[in-house]
């Protein structure tokens, strides 16, 4: 019987003999490579934390001790060790989440897959338990070196350092990467620490040797302890942490089970906050991942487990269209600069970086800094393009509002993976952006319907010098080109079933929902309805031409893949009321709810954003 088959919880992990740990780690890696290659998911991060996760569950007592994973894309090993072995529907409807999930297990605490939050969570959990009298319960946070580039992590460290008796263990999983190699001053500091792995062993050797030395041994040991800080400053300059008042242990080989257990046991017994610096390899044990220079298989689709190659070649994506146009614009405009938050390749800025290496800025996992810094770039006479996933714009709302918009910064924010994204679940759906942006004075937002519209919108956006502009598009393969029938002012007419007569039903289609709107119009026309479909392209603010057109319609419907509450439909209703136009507006969008992981199509069906559902509601 395989070792992994006998693991149904942390108690089973603790019961293993030390010589069984390496075989268990190999079984876990074999399982992950086989299972994730069938479903897709976060493979590289999990291969890198196998021994670390095993050690955590041997030293600590989950769920009595809280284990919190930053971002959570490295939680697959944790799922296995806490008894969740069915990965057949990983990230699919009804299957395991790709992140920790309270609905799955009492061992999971934080479901939010946005980075740099774990230390704040850990501080709150530990402090809350201490206040409630649970000081003997430990809290463990696992945070990557990439997530440590986020400002929220340092806000938490500042407060944690003042909690001298709080039983907190902060594990820095240092693999030199987030999606891509970690950058910045912190990365350089950790790089220095990585070169000093002999420090702790040297100090322990010194203590043991001196204690055996007659007469002078103990005084020399005390002297050694007295100059400990000086030695560290020279040999292992971890002052960054110790100056905060935090105990530092490491660096520790993250693939040595016994070394990990020893370090974590020391941290557990310390009696206060401790940072344990662990060196790991992303993609450990899987050569195709280790050879992948881009992100070491951070996330993969369905692949051949033997070769690491995908079974199907993906078609051209929305991101590809943006990427190509950025390169073209870069040649035309020397003032154009690109900004990314640790996701240069996923958001399509890799080619721009190759062509214009002096005009790409990677700020790390720091979306707030990215937006405000871009506002400064705009003041300096440049036009920055900040590219992030739509879900991560949530983190920088104040900066968009008070730094970019208030100061009329000529900058463009490009939101990849807008709308329903599917398998990554609630925290990754890009459904909040239009409601957020709609509250920002002066901001303009475009929702392109296809690849050509992305290129056009980007060119229009970078011409705006007195306000922030936003362009949003979804995940996946780009829609087939959709040519408009004609223009009505600034609006593109996409379908016309009115025969030149009155508009019985006007449908306003937003971005990727244009194909759905066209199909809905066809269904309504088959029922004898006079229907017109328009694509405003720029949906925030509401175009005066759209208000005028709505006045000619008997009824208006808005189809959008953003929130119904505060979205484009809500904004249009407000604009019509402001112009004393009494036309009923019905919005079909995303409900105000956290939506579970499933395919994009399945989620759209659940929330009623399919042609049949919308058409039946309008008949």
């Amino acid at each position: 019987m395989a070792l992994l088959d006998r693991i149904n919880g942390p108690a089973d992990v603790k019961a293993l003999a030390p010589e069984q740990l390496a075989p268990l780690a190999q079984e876990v890696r074999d399982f992950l490579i086989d299972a994730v290659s069938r479903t897709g998911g976060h493979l590289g991060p999990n291969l890198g934390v196998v021994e670390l996760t095993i050690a955590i569950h041997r030293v600590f007592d989950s769920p009595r001790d809280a284990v919190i994973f930053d971002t959570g894309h490295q939680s697959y090993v944790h799922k296995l060790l806490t008894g969740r072995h069915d990965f057949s529907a990983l990230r699919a409807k009804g299957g395991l989440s790709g992140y920790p999930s309270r609905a799955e297990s009492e061992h999971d605490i934080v479901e939010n897959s946005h980075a740099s939050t774990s230390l704040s969570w850990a501080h709150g959990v530990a402090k809350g338990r201490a206040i409630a009298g649970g000081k003997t319960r430990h809290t463990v946070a696992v945070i990557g070196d990439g997530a440590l580039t986020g400002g929220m992590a340092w806000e938490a460290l500042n407060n944690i350092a003042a909690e001298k008796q709080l039983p907190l263990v902060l594990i820095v999983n240092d693999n030199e990467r987030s999606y891509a190699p970690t950058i910045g001053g912190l990365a350089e500091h950790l790089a220095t620490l990585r070169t000093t792995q002999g420090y702790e062993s040297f100090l322990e050797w010194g203590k043991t040797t001196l204690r055996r030395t007659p007469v002078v041994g103990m005084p020399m040991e005390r002297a050694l302890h007295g100059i400990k800080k000086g030695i560290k400053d020279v040999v292992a300059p971890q002052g960054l942490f110790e100056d905060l008042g935090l105990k530092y242990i490491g660096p520790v080989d993250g693939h040595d089970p016994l070394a990990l257990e020893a370090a974590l046991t020391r941290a557990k017994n310390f009696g206060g906050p401790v940072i344990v610096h662990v060196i790991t390899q992303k993609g450990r044990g899987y050569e195709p991942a280790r050879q992948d220079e881009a992100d070491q298989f951070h996330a993969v689709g369905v692949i051949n487990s033997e070769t690491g190659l995908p079974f199907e070649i993906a078609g051209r994506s929305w991101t590809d269209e943006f990427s190509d146009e950025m390169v073209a614009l870069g040649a035309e405009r020397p003032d154009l600069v690109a900004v990314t938050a640790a996701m240069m390749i996923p958001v399509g800025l890799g080619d721009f970086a190759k062509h214009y290496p002096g005009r790409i800025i990677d700020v790390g996992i720091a979306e707030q800094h990215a937006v405000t810094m871009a506002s400064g770039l705009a003041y300096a006479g440049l036009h920055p393009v900040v590219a992030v996933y739509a879900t991560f714009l949530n983190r920088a709302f104040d900066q968009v509002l008070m730094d970019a918009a208030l100061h009329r910064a000529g900058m463009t924010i490009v939101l990849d993976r807008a709308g329903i994204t599917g398998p990554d679940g609630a925290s990754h759906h890009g459904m909040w952006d239009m409601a957020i942006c709609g509250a920002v004075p002066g901001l303009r937002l475009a929702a392109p319907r296809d690849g050509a519209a992305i290129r056009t919108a980007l060119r229009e956006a970078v011409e705006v010098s007195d306000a922030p502009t936003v362009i949003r598009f979804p995940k996946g393969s780009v829609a087939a080109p959709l040519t408009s029938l004609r223009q009505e002012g600034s609006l593109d007419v996409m379908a016309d079933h009115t025969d030149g007569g009155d508009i019985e039903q006007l449908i306003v289609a937003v971005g990727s929902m244009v194909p759905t709107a066209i199909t809905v119009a066809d269904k309504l026309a088959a029922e004898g309805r006079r229907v017109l479909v328009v694509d405003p392209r720029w949906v925030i603010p509401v175009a005066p031409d759209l208000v005028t057109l709505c006045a000619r319609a008997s009824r208006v419907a808005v189809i959008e893949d953003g929130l119904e509450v505060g979205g484009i439909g809500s904004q249009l209703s407000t604009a019509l009321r402001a112009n004393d136009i009494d036309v009923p507006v019905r919005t079909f969008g995303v409900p105000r709810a956290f939506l579970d992981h499933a395919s994009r199509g399945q989620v759209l069906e659940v929330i009623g954003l399919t042609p049949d559902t919308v058409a039946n509601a309008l008949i």
Side-chain angles (χ1 to χ4, degrees):
M1 185 178 185
L3 289 170
L4 183 57
D5 293 339
R6 292 157 34 192
I7 302 297
N8 294 302
D12 297 323
V13 181
K14 293 177 185 293
L16 295 176
E19 60 270 18
Q20 293 178 299
L21 301 182
L24 174 62
Q26 186 59 53
E27 287 185 23
V28 169
R29 284 195 172 88
D30 291 343
F31 177 95
L32 290 175
I33 293 167
D34 179 67
V36 179
S37 67
R38 297 172 187 271
T39 62
H42 290 99
L43 183 55
N46 285 283
L47 294 175
V49 297
V50 176
E51 290 86 359
L52 174 58
T53 310
I54 292 171
I56 289 171
H57 282 297
R58 283 174 63 82
V59 174
F60 297 95
D61 299 304
S62 177
R64 186 178 186 278
D65 294 330
V67 181
I68 297 169
F69 293 92
D70 203 286
T71 309
H73 54 225
Q74 77 287 53
S75 63
Y76 295 2
V77 185
H78 167 77
K79 289 175 186 276
L80 284 171
L81 300 183
T82 52
R84 287 165 278 178
H85 293 187
D86 184 3
F87 275 50
S88 60
L90 177 68
R91 301 168 70 245
K93 187 176 182 181
L96 288 180
S97 168
Y99 297 95
S101 168
R102 291 183 180 181
E104 287 179 11
S105 174
E106 64 180 343
H107 297 280
D108 292 3
I109 295 174
V110 179
E111 302 183 8
N112 173 16
S113 55
H114 288 193
S116 309
T117 66
S118 64
L119 303 189
S120 296
W121 267 101
H123 184 206
V125 170
K127 185 69 173 179
R129 286 178 168 179
I131 292 172
K135 287 188 176 181
T136 60
R137 303 172 71 179
H138 285 78
T139 302
V140 181
V142 182
I143 183 169
D145 57 303
L148 271 180
T149 61
M152 188 174 174
W154 291 92
E155 293 175 22
L157 281 173
N158 181 59
N159 281 270
I160 289 169
E163 304 278 3
K164 303 301 183 185
Q165 305 302 316
L166 213 57
L168 260 174
V169 177
L170 313 177
I171 301 172
V172 177
N173 172 34
D174 181 5
N175 60 17
E176 305 182 60
R177 308 180 75 88
S178 50
Y179 288 86
T182 307
I183 55 86
L186 173 65
E188 294 177 4
H189 179 81
L190 291 176
T192 301
L193 292 179
R194 288 184 208 110
T195 66
T196 62
Q197 294 190 42
Y199 167 74
E200 293 290 344
S201 58
F202 163 74
L203 196 64
E204 192 60 37
W205 170 85
K207 286 182 180 179
T208 303
T209 303
L210 289 173
R211 283 172 182 164
R212 294 172 182 166
T213 305
V215 184
V216 299
M218 292 308 295
M220 288 184 66
E221 183 188 347
R222 286 193 293 271
L224 175 62
H225 181 77
I227 63 171
K228 177 180 178 181
K229 185 64 169 69
I231 293 174
K232 283 189 174 183
D233 285 342
V234 174
V235 181
Q238 56 252 52
L240 182 65
F241 300 116
E242 292 197 338
D243 286 349
L244 284 172
L246 292 167
K247 171 66 176 175
Y248 171 93
I249 296 175
V252 182
D253 183 349
H255 303 293
D256 183 333
L258 299 183
L260 285 166
E261 284 191 39
L264 293 179
T265 300
R266 288 174 59 197
K268 180 179 181 180
N269 295 333
F270 179 68
V274 181
I275 287 180
V276 181
H277 182 191
V278 177
I279 310 297
T280 62
Q281 291 181 336
K282 194 172 184 179
R284 172 86 170 193
Y286 188 39
E287 193 59 24
R290 295 297 301 156
Q291 294 300 319
D292 180 39
E293 295 183 5
D295 64 6
Q296 294 182 337
F297 281 25
H298 179 86
V300 297
V302 178
I303 60 173
N304 183 317
S305 61
E306 294 183 3
T307 65
L309 298 175
F311 283 110
E312 295 183 4
I313 302 300
R316 188 165 180 79
S317 70
W318 296 81
T319 309
D320 292 334
E321 299 288 345
F322 162 67
S323 175
D324 289 352
E325 197 63 19
M326 275 294 291
V327 173
L329 279 169
E332 300 169 20
R333 296 189 51 153
D335 65 326
L336 195 72
V337 294
V339 181
T340 177
M343 299 183 71
M344 186 184 303
I345 293 174
V347 298
L349 290 177
D351 284 346
F352 186 90
K354 292 176 183 177
H355 284 81
Y356 318 107
R359 289 192 273 154
I360 182 78
I361 303 169
D362 187 343
V363 300
I365 302 178
E367 292 85 1
Q368 293 172 304
H369 171 59
V371 171
T372 300
M373 189 268 292
S375 300
L377 292 171
Y379 177 78
L382 302 176
H383 191 102
V385 176
V386 181
V388 297
Y389 283 2
T391 181
F392 298 138
L393 183 69
N394 305 354
R395 301 162 70 97
F397 171 70
D398 182 68
Q399 288 68 32
V400 172
L401 181 67
M402 292 299 174
D403 293 320
L406 177 63
H407 294 88
R408 299 179 178 274
M411 58 182 287
T412 298
I413 301 172
V414 175
L415 303 180
D416 202 324
R417 304 197 180 195
I420 299 302
T421 56
D424 285 328
S427 63
H428 267 53
H429 292 308
M431 52 193 268
W432 319 97
D433 57 295
M434 290 190 289
I436 287 173
C437 290
V440 179
L443 180 145
R444 309 172 207 183
L445 184 145
R449 63 179 178 263
D450 57 23
I454 287 178
R455 294 171 179 266
T456 300
L458 184 60
R459 287 185 171 271
E460 293 172 346
V462 299
E463 291 297 327
V464 177
S465 60
D466 61 351
T469 53
V470 178
I471 300 172
R472 74 185 308 264
F473 51 81
K475 175 183 179 181
S477 298
V478 70
L482 295 167
T483 304
S484 64
L485 300 178
R486 65 178 186 275
Q487 276 67 49
E488 290 263 354
S490 62
L491 314 175
D492 284 352
V493 176
M494 304 307 300
D496 187 350
H497 299 283
T498 65
D499 295 324
D502 294 337
I503 305 171
E504 186 178 356
Q505 178 71 68
L506 174 64
I507 299 178
V508 180
V510 177
S512 64
M513 302 311 293
V514 169
T516 298
I518 293 173
T519 304
V520 169
D522 291 341
K523 291 178 179 293
L524 295 179
E527 299 291 329
R529 302 283 294 278
R530 296 188 299 277
V531 187
L532 187 72
V533 177
V534 296
D535 171 14
R537 298 193 314 111
W538 288 88
V539 294
I540 296 175
V542 174
D545 290 335
L546 182 57
V547 173
T548 300
L549 184 61
C550 287
R552 294 166 43 198
S554 299
R555 295 189 298 176
V556 176
V558 178
I559 307 177
E560 56 185 303
D561 58 349
L563 285 183
E564 290 178 343
V565 179
I568 306 307
S570 295
Q571 302 230 6
L572 179 57
S573 296
T574 299
L576 294 179
R577 288 195 299 270
N579 286 275
D580 295 322
I581 298 173
D582 186 18
V583 177
V585 177
R586 182 162 185 180
T587 300
F588 298 89
V590 180
R592 185 166 54 187
F594 294 111
L595 305 175
D596 290 337
H597 59 281
S599 71
R600 174 180 163 84
Q602 288 171 330
V603 176
L604 291 175
E605 185 172 359
V606 167
I607 64 177
L609 276 182
T610 61
D612 286 342
T613 304
V614 175
N616 290 337
L618 293 176
I619 290 175

